[in-house]
Amino acid sequence: TLLAGYRDCLLSLDDDDDDLKELVRLGHKMKSLDFPLSHFLALSLPVERRHTKGATDADFLVTQLDRPAASAPAQECSALPLVVVLDNLRSAFNVGSIFRTAECLRLRRLDLCGYTSTPDDAQT
């Protein structure tokens, strides 16, 4: 099975390497493969968190348009009768994403409250 192959791969690692010791220990914890997925995730999540870089807002910075400018006039559609209120959103990148989504959905209005960043903010 896939789990057996994963366990065998972990056990074949060189446990003299300090960076791999934790992975080898994980292989030893998987003696029996008769456990639910939640148990496997509980075993592997700390290892994943230690050895992977979490994505940050800057990793999603949009620096160029992802589509060419439209050559033909856009077809007129009526706006969705929906108003979205953004109250105290800390991440300017999330606010920018919500603006782009709202534009795609043709929402009627976005209301910004509290310390939510505005389109004037470069990161939005």
Side-chain angles (χ1 to χ4, degrees):
T1 67
L2 186 61
L3 277 178
Y6 181 61
R7 178 191 58 199
D8 294 342
C9 180
L10 292 176
L11 292 174
S12 71
L13 295 172
D14 179 15
D15 61 355
D16 293 333
D17 186 336
D18 288 337
D19 288 335
L20 300 178
K21 283 182 181 180
E22 191 174 10
L23 293 172
V24 174
R25 282 195 301 269
L26 176 61
H28 288 293
K29 290 178 183 179
M30 295 173 63
K31 292 175 188 167
S32 166
L33 297 177
D34 185 28
F35 52 80
L37 177 62
S38 60
H39 180 68
F40 172 73
L41 293 175
L43 286 173
S44 60
L45 188 60
V47 175
E48 180 185 355
R49 285 186 179 154
R50 179 171 177 215
H51 294 284
T52 59
K53 176 188 174 273
T56 62
D57 284 345
D59 294 331
F60 301 101
L61 184 61
V62 177
T63 58
Q64 61 187 15
L65 294 175
D66 60 354
R67 61 189 155 117
S71 57
Q75 187 178 18
E76 287 298 319
C77 299
S78 60
L80 255 148
L82 186 63
V83 175
V84 175
V85 178
L86 307 180
D87 186 24
N88 295 327
L89 261 67
R90 290 184 294 176
S91 170
F93 294 103
N94 288 343
V95 173
S97 176
I98 293 169
F99 264 86
R100 290 185 294 278
T101 303
E103 181 180 14
C104 290
L105 296 175
R106 302 187 52 81
L107 297 184
R108 178 171 291 161
R109 192 172 79 221
L110 282 176
D111 289 341
L112 310 180
C113 306
Y115 53 78
T116 301
S117 64
T118 67
D120 298 332
D121 186 342
Q123 291 182 330
T124 305

